[in-house]
Amino acid sequence: MSTKNVTGAVLVAGGGIAGIQAALDLANSGYYVYMLEKSPSIGGVMAQLDKTFPTNDCSMCIMSPKLVEVGRHMNIELITLAEIKDVRGQQGDFEVDVFQKARYVDMTKCIACGACTEKCPKKVDDVYNAGLAKRKAIYVPYPQAVPLKYAIDAKNCIKLTKGKCGICEKTCPAGAIMYDDKDKNLTLKVGSIVLAPGFSTYNPSGKAIYNYDASKDVVTSIEFERYLSASGPNQGHVVRPSDHVHPHKIAWLQCIGSRDINTCGNGYCSSVCCMYAIKQAIIAKEHDPSLECTIFYMDMRTHGKGFESCYNEAKEKHGIKFVRCRIHSIFTQEGEEKGQVLDYFDEATGKVVRELYDIVVLSVGMEISPETRQLAEKIGVDLTPSGFVKTSSFDPVATSKPGVYVCGAIQGPKDIPQSVVEAGGAAMRAGASLASARNTLTKTAPERTEIDIKGDRPRIGVFVCHCGSNIAGVIDVPAVRDYAATLPYVEYVANNMYSCSQDAQDAIAAVIKEKNLNRMIVAACSPRTHEPLFQETLLAAGINKYLFEMVNIRNHGSWVHKDHPVEATEKAKDLVRMAAAKSALLEPLSEADLDIDQNVVVIGGGIAGMTAAKSLADQGYKVNIIEREASLGGQAKNLYQTAGGAMIQEGLKNLASEVTSHENITVFAGSNIEGVEGFVGNFKTIVNTGGTSKTIEHGVTVVATGASELKPTEYMYGQDKRIVTGIELDKMFINDDPALKSVNSAVFIQCVGSREPERPYCSRICCTHSVVSALHLKEKNPDMNVFVLYRDIRTYGEKELLYKEAREKGVIFVRYGLSNKPVVSVGENGKLNIRVTDHVLQLPLVIEADLLTLASAVVPYKDEKLAQFFKVPLNEDGFFVEAHVKLAPSDFATDGVFLCGLAHYPKPIDESIAQAQAAASSALRLLAKKSIKTQGAIAEVNQMICSGCGVCVAVCPYNAPSMRLSKPYEGKAEINPVLCKGCGACVSSCRSGALKLKGFDEGQLIAMIQSATNF
């Protein structure tokens, strides 16, 4: 396709976390992005959540920087209140007809002051708060909304429906109200389309068995999320909805609207419900440790990274009760002992138990709305029987229509990390066919000129954040603000409801200019997530970004001292005073430009590594694959078929052929890495191939080293050839092993080596793999007896339909417990005997088997040497640790190094491929810049007093210090500013006091200490 036929713009339909990530990846990789959102602002369901687990981060706090980045990005055009009406054309050259509803507010004039909504007389149900509170007919969906511009609800506005009122027009100080605004029809020219419209939660209304319509005390999980949230209708205080009394017992009912073909027809698993129920129960217990929380479930599906640990923590640390039972119905008991009545079967006693709960939370599942299905039909993409967009195992983000890609829940139920992964994958695929038109439509930011403050008296601005009730619910924010005004050099103080919101950022930048401020302090949440956001605001105001100090009065104040508000307020004042003392001594720091070498190294030649390599090579970059084995393929060489029905060996052969024949890819097979030097943009990796070493220079690295199957030490493995692992069974399928024809009885044992004390994580893929293998055996011999012995069946998403099919075809599932595992022996007749206790009858069951398959754990290589080479961490299980489990699952904290596949965590082939594409997308964001800025807050050596002891060289985890080899300071230490991460290890260990850390000078730190101790 020639460049003239390719449009360098992409349409992203959907403003949830998946759409946001896809838009940012594309815009930062050289493409212009039109972002459509049907509501007045972006954010999606994630904006309604309280916290995310297992990180325990405030959902909006970690999302706000991304929202603001989208709102500020000059290559992302937000089109809100909009939807696709029609699509014409082909990949590279689409025309998209868009219908945009009237906002009735001029966005160029609206200053988001809120005067209109204060005076508006019309109240309607607040969708953001799940209908639990009211909002006005003119509104913003939530305080941190982007764009933070008001909109009029035309269906409820008195002026627009009846011609009366008009108060908002009279009240608006900016003259932004436009009652004569009209709906618009737009036509956009784009090269690719990314669908990310999100999902709807199941509505239990009309189902009498749930008692949802009859009782206020039966709530959905989204409603309970809003009750927990500091920005919710109760400011985070959990009360019984019907009478606002303090609850003592709360129950969660799982699989409401999921795994249910009787009530709603949603036979699939919604993937996220078990984990969010655990999260909600833990948060509720944190609010009130005496609260009794019970989760009723069928299978506990905590299959994500870190999820099993949360499950164990919920049981062992927080005392949350888990009952394996699907509750049939709920009814209300009135009178003195008011509550919701649940009857359930107790497996331990064999009796029916009746309990009374103050609140019952229905853990509702995901489904695709009729509007989303209609959108898919308009565009012409195929759907699965469950209504999700159909994709393939080897191209998991591509639809049936070329040039149209998907990410997030529209492709199937999934959690935040997987949605973010798919967003990166969709961005990579959407951009790949448009590579020839990259940067043809993008705008370039003008050069920023910093104000020279040298010699100026410090003029500090202090901004204290309410963060809803996250901070203000404990700390007296106005008191902290007023106290800050008394501190030396503080010229301006203010308190913001949400300092990270777009309007607050704009207001701060305006105040800096108006008041001629030259330093800024924000007392809010964690600098780990928000410091770059505020530094960007400083830059926008013309101030050096290192003249900023952030005080964490949330994590270090309101959260840890929530029961001591007076003391927490005093501590917040102390922290602000210390920050002011340091801020007065801050100096501007400089950052150097660093060129990015345009070559790539991918470590690992399995499916993930090859996919990452091909993705980047297709974008025009030279890629080197380093593979330890003699041939490409990794673990996939031993696998038979995916859950989606794709033949793995055929797909693997095609992928390997494309990689080996690609003009931009060089493969180093049978090779090992001997050493790594350098840093982001300028790595040098020494590769040994057959005894010959070669140095590869490259700008970025993708780690895709894979994992392996555990060789069991139990269940008589290795003592009888009829006992095999899951991969060994796949090899038998691949080779059409004649031994399979004589099998009349087969048994699978799950969780072999997984979810054990020495390996507590879930291996994620084993349940589905065994179910698929059981179906293969049934295909070979429908009369074969097949048993699966399991602890929890974790066929998440639409894989649940395979579990259903297996049961329908006669596969028998028997549950066992960790304390009563199956016992394998050889009987007198030579048959394998597997003894297990039947979980229904509570009686021992002995199964005679011709074949026993052990679903063995996925174990990481624990490559500590490689981890040291690239300064990337491993977790306690041996998997590599990503930069952020939710929002950066394919990135490392180390700049220029990215992650995908089994090296990150166990996952099936389609998820490995999606993550490989996401890692490539993250790498492309860096490569496309061609140069980056180095860090300013780095160590510096006074070589006049350096003793040359070398301690700094020994202690630095990043290899930043070295000893000079030339005069005039031969033998003295020097710091590579690119490698230095500003950790300060060298400074604290320097015996001669020759080292200092810029931004943390001794004088600044002493000023903070004196401020804290001498006050």
Side-chain angles (χ1 to χ4, degrees):
M1 189 180 295
S2 65
T3 306
K4 66 180 181 180
N5 295 323
V6 177
T7 303
V10 180
L11 175 68
V12 176
I17 187 60
I20 288 169
Q21 187 63 54
L24 288 172
D25 276 7
L26 284 160
N28 289 326
S29 300
Y31 302 100
Y32 193 80
V33 177
Y34 297 101
M35 189 173 190
L36 298 191
E37 169 54 41
K38 63 183 179 182
S39 63
S41 61
I42 60 176
V45 173
M46 191 172 170
Q48 294 178 281
L49 304 183
D50 178 40
K51 291 183 181 179
T52 63
F53 264 44
T55 58
N56 202 29
D57 284 321
C58 169
S59 179
M60 275 310 306
C61 284
I62 62 172
M63 194 178 181
S64 282
K66 286 186 179 289
L67 292 174
V68 175
E69 186 181 356
V70 168
R72 286 175 168 172
H73 209 296
M74 63 175 55
N75 289 314
I76 298 177
E77 185 175 334
L78 281 178
I79 306 175
T80 54
L81 294 167
E83 59 183 29
I84 296 173
K85 300 302 291 183
D86 193 21
V87 175
R88 300 180 299 278
Q90 59 187 352
Q91 179 176 348
D93 188 22
F94 287 115
E95 285 191 349
V96 183
D97 292 335
V98 174
F99 172 74
Q100 184 180 27
K101 293 181 182 177
R103 182 179 283 264
Y104 302 104
V105 173
D106 187 336
M107 293 178 67
T108 64
K109 294 181 179 179
C110 177
I111 57 174
C113 65
C116 56
T117 197
E118 287 179 10
K119 298 296 183 180
C120 178
K122 180 67 174 181
K123 293 183 178 181
V124 299
D125 287 341
D126 185 359
V127 175
Y128 173 68
N129 275 308
L132 302 173
K134 298 289 185 179
R135 63 159 170 82
K136 300 296 183 67
I138 185 166
Y139 70 106
V140 288
Y142 57 96
Q144 301 102 311
V146 173
L148 195 68
K149 305 293 182 181
Y150 279 74
I152 293 178
D153 182 346
K155 292 181 180 179
N156 290 291
C157 174
I158 298 172
K159 176 70 174 178
L160 293 175
T161 56
K162 299 180 180 179
K164 301 177 181 179
C165 190
I167 290 176
C168 57
E169 183 179 35
K170 298 170 187 174
T171 306
C172 179
I177 306 302
M178 301 191 307
Y179 293 128
D180 60 348
D181 196 13
K182 304 294 183 184
D183 298 338
K184 300 179 182 68
N185 290 296
L186 313 171
T187 299
L188 306 176
K189 288 184 66 65
V190 296
S192 299
I193 299 171
V194 176
L195 300 179
F199 63 93
S200 300
T201 53
Y202 174 73
N203 185 356
S205 294
K207 307 295 190 296
I209 58 172
Y210 297 136
N211 205 32
Y212 176 71
D213 296 320
S215 175
K216 290 183 177 180
D217 299 331
V218 179
V219 300
T220 67
S221 44
I222 282 289
E223 290 169 344
F224 194 72
E225 200 77 38
R226 297 311 303 147
Y227 281 130
L228 288 173
S229 177
S231 63
N234 296 336
Q235 289 76 52
H237 300 292
V238 180
V239 295
R240 188 163 61 185
S242 63
D243 54 13
H244 287 78
V245 303
H246 181 73
H248 298 286
K249 294 177 70 175
I250 303 178
W252 280 259
L253 272 56
Q254 299 309 105
C255 300
I256 306 299
S258 299
R259 303 184 70 187
D260 184 353
I261 57 174
N262 298 314
T263 304
C264 65
N266 292 344
Y268 53 85
C269 163
S270 286
S271 298
V272 302
C273 319
C274 288
M275 194 58 210
Y276 73 56
I278 292 173
K279 177 200 76 169
Q280 290 177 348
I282 290 175
I283 294 173
K285 290 280 282 186
E286 288 174 349
H287 281 256
D288 177 10
S290 67
L291 196 62
E292 187 177 322
C293 297
T294 305
I295 297 177
F296 293 90
Y297 70 102
M298 294 196 296
D299 293 285
M300 190 48 57
R301 292 185 169 174
T302 49
H303 48 267
K305 190 173 186 179
F307 291 2
E308 187 75 7
S309 297
C310 282
Y311 175 34
N312 294 332
E313 179 185 321
K315 291 184 291 185
E316 298 161 9
K317 178 180 176 181
H318 297 282
I320 294 166
K321 184 179 177 183
F322 290 82
V323 177
R324 194 186 292 268
C325 179
R326 183 153 196 164
I327 301 295
H328 177 270
S329 55
I330 309 166
F331 64 90
T332 302
Q333 177 176 295
E334 299 290 356
E336 193 170 320
E337 289 194 35
K338 176 183 175 181
Q340 304 303 308
V341 178
L342 302 182
D343 293 327
Y344 66 92
F345 177 76
D346 188 342
E347 284 189 345
T349 63
K351 297 179 180 179
V352 175
V353 178
R354 170 165 290 185
E355 287 200 47
L356 195 66
Y357 292 89
D358 296 302
I359 302 173
V360 173
V361 182
L362 304 178
S363 293
V364 292
M366 299 179 178
E367 57 186 16
I368 297 303
S369 68
E371 294 80 12
T372 300
R373 293 193 189 209
Q374 291 170 11
L375 171 63
E377 290 170 1
K378 287 176 189 174
I379 295 175
V381 301
D382 294 341
L383 302 178
T384 68
S386 299
F388 299 99
V389 171
K390 188 175 183 180
T391 61
S392 67
S393 300
F394 280 84
D395 205 352
V397 297
T399 71
S400 58
K401 186 177 182 69
V404 180
Y405 306 93
V406 291
C407 56
I410 189 175
Q411 191 269 345
K414 56 182 61 69
D415 57 10
I416 294 168
Q418 189 58 30
S419 294
V420 172
V421 161
E422 285 185 1
M428 173 54 69
R429 292 286 282 114
S433 59
L434 312 180
S436 60
R438 188 191 299 134
N439 294 317
T440 57
L441 297 177
T442 53
K443 307 169 189 174
T444 304
E447 285 288 329
R448 287 170 170 164
T449 303
E450 286 185 7
I451 299 170
D452 184 5
I453 67 161
K454 188 176 181 180
D456 291 353
R457 178 183 181 276
R459 295 179 59 84
I460 304 171
V462 179
F463 303 88
V464 187
C465 185
H466 285 261
C467 199
S469 62
N470 250 322
I471 293 172
V474 177
I475 291 172
D476 186 343
V477 170
V480 177
R481 174 204 63 200
D482 294 342
Y483 175 75
T486 68
L487 298 173
Y489 302 112
V490 172
E491 301 292 334
Y492 182 85
V493 296
N495 54 287
N496 305 312
M497 180 57 69
Y498 295 99
S499 296
C500 59
S501 66
Q502 189 171 20
D503 71 314
Q505 295 290 295
D506 295 341
I508 289 171
V511 165
I512 290 172
K513 293 178 180 178
E514 179 188 346
K515 301 295 182 181
N516 195 27
L517 304 178
N518 55 28
R519 286 162 178 80
M520 182 171 82
I521 297 171
V522 173
C525 54
S526 172
R528 184 173 71 91
T529 54
H530 283 64
E531 186 175 53
L533 174 67
F534 292 111
Q535 288 180 328
E536 180 66 25
T537 298
L538 229 66
L539 286 171
I543 305 297
N544 185 278
K545 73 178 189 179
Y546 294 100
L547 297 171
F548 170 72
E549 195 69 18
M550 191 162 184
V551 182
N552 190 347
I553 61 172
R554 184 195 67 179
N555 302 52
H556 299 164
S558 60
W559 279 7
V560 292
H561 306 301
K562 62 185 177 66
D563 297 325
H564 304 281
V566 174
E567 292 83 352
T569 300
E570 290 305 309
K571 181 177 179 180
K573 292 178 181 179
D574 292 342
L575 293 172
V576 170
R577 183 175 68 251
M578 294 167 67
K582 180 187 176 187
S583 184
L585 299 174
L586 289 175
E587 296 178 353
L589 301 180
S590 60
E591 299 176 333
D593 288 319
L594 174 68
D595 291 336
I596 302 294
D597 188 301
Q598 298 293 286
N599 294 316
V600 181
V601 158
V602 175
I603 305 173
I607 278 184
M610 286 193 289
T611 299
K614 183 177 181 299
S615 297
L616 287 164
D618 286 345
Q619 294 269 7
Y621 296 97
K622 298 293 183 181
V623 183
N624 303 276
I625 298 178
I626 303 172
E627 167 56 40
R628 65 168 69 92
E629 301 294 334
S631 61
L632 298 173
Q635 293 295 337
K637 290 185 289 187
N638 305 315
L639 301 177
Y640 180 55
Q641 192 173 3
T642 69
M647 303 308 295
I648 295 172
Q649 296 310 302
E650 180 182 341
L652 181 62
K653 180 181 178 181
N654 293 337
L655 178 59
S657 175
E658 290 174 341
V659 165
T660 54
S661 62
H662 204 295
E663 62 180 1
N664 289 333
I665 298 177
T666 302
V667 177
F668 293 86
S671 302
N672 294 302
I673 295 176
E674 293 184 330
V676 176
E677 298 176 359
F679 39 84
V680 55
N682 293 270
F683 290 109
K684 291 182 180 179
T685 298
I686 304 170
V687 183
N688 186 296
T689 307
T692 302
S693 295
K694 180 179 180 179
T695 298
I696 303 172
E697 296 183 354
H698 55 106
V700 299
T701 307
V702 178
V703 176
T705 50
S708 61
E709 183 186 52
L710 175 73
K711 293 302 180 183
T713 57
E714 55 185 335
Y715 301 122
M716 291 184 63
Y717 179 77
Q719 302 175 38
D720 192 304
K721 65 180 182 180
R722 294 170 295 181
I723 303 174
V724 298
T725 65
I727 280 185
E728 289 167 351
L729 178 61
D730 267 27
K731 290 179 181 177
M732 296 172 75
F733 286 134
I734 293 170
N735 298 323
D736 196 18
D737 196 316
L740 292 174
K741 296 177 181 178
S742 60
V743 175
N744 294 309
S745 178
V747 175
F748 293 82
I749 299 179
Q750 301 305 109
C751 295
V752 178
S754 296
R755 303 178 67 195
E756 301 268 5
E758 68 274 14
R759 206 171 290 103
Y761 58 88
C762 166
S763 288
R764 192 175 177 92
I765 60 176
C766 321
C767 286
T768 302
H769 188 250
S770 291
V771 168
V772 170
S773 296
L775 287 169
H776 291 329
L777 291 174
K778 278 288 189 179
E779 288 172 7
K780 289 183 174 294
N781 179 4
D783 296 325
M784 185 187 300
N785 293 317
V786 181
F787 298 83
V788 178
L789 313 184
Y790 71 100
R791 290 172 59 192
D792 291 282
I793 289 293
R794 295 183 169 177
T795 46
Y796 58 92
E798 291 188 283
K799 300 176 183 72
E800 176 71 11
L801 305 181
L802 293 169
Y803 179 30
K804 176 176 176 286
E805 181 186 351
R807 298 197 306 273
E808 290 172 345
K809 290 187 175 178
V811 178
I812 299 172
F813 292 82
V814 181
R815 179 161 43 84
Y816 73 89
L818 185 59
S819 60
N820 191 19
K821 295 165 70 171
V823 176
V824 179
S825 62
V826 178
E828 294 181 359
N829 59 358
K831 292 273 190 178
L832 291 172
N833 286 345
I834 297 93
R835 183 184 181 90
V836 65
T837 299
D838 184 277
H839 65 282
V840 177
L841 301 175
Q842 291 297 310
L843 293 173
L845 172 69
V846 178
I847 306 169
E848 288 189 347
D850 302 311
L851 177 69
L852 172 61
T853 303
L854 305 180
S856 194
V858 176
V859 293
Y861 290 117
K862 296 184 180 181
D863 196 337
E864 295 181 358
K865 185 178 179 182
L866 185 66
Q868 286 296 319
F869 281 154
F870 287 100
K871 302 298 183 292
V872 292
L874 298 169
N875 68 9
E876 61 274 15
D877 299 317
F879 294 103
F880 285 103
V881 178
E882 62 277 71
H884 192 285
V885 67
K886 295 290 183 183
L887 299 184
S890 304
D891 296 42
F892 279 112
T894 300
D895 295 335
V897 189
F898 307 94
L899 173 66
C900 60
L902 298 181
H904 167 253
Y905 190 69
K907 52 181 66 70
I909 281 176
D910 57 342
E911 293 180 20
S912 289
I913 289 174
Q915 192 180 21
Q917 292 168 337
S921 184
S922 294
L924 181 59
R925 292 199 310 263
L926 191 59
L927 292 165
K929 292 179 181 178
K930 295 190 178 178
S931 68
I932 59 171
K933 296 285 188 181
T934 62
Q935 187 168 312
I938 58 174
E940 183 178 60
V941 183
N942 180 350
Q943 292 166 331
M944 295 289 290
I945 60 174
C946 174
S947 64
C949 66
V951 171
C952 57
V953 177
V955 300
C956 179
Y958 303 103
N959 298 328
S962 62
M963 308 309 291
R964 280 183 64 93
L965 301 176
S966 59
K967 294 179 179 180
Y969 297 109
E970 185 177 356
K972 305 290 187 177
E974 61 181 357
I975 302 293
N976 184 328
V978 178
L979 289 178
C980 181
K981 300 299 178 185
C983 70
C986 60
V987 178
S988 61
S989 65
C990 182
R991 299 169 179 177
S992 58
L995 278 156
K996 74 170 186 177
L997 185 61
K998 295 179 181 179
F1000 296 88
D1001 287 352
E1002 184 176 313
Q1004 296 166 358
L1005 299 180
I1006 288 175
M1008 295 180 75
I1009 294 168
Q1010 288 177 338
S1011 177
T1013 57
N1014 297 336
F1015 180 72

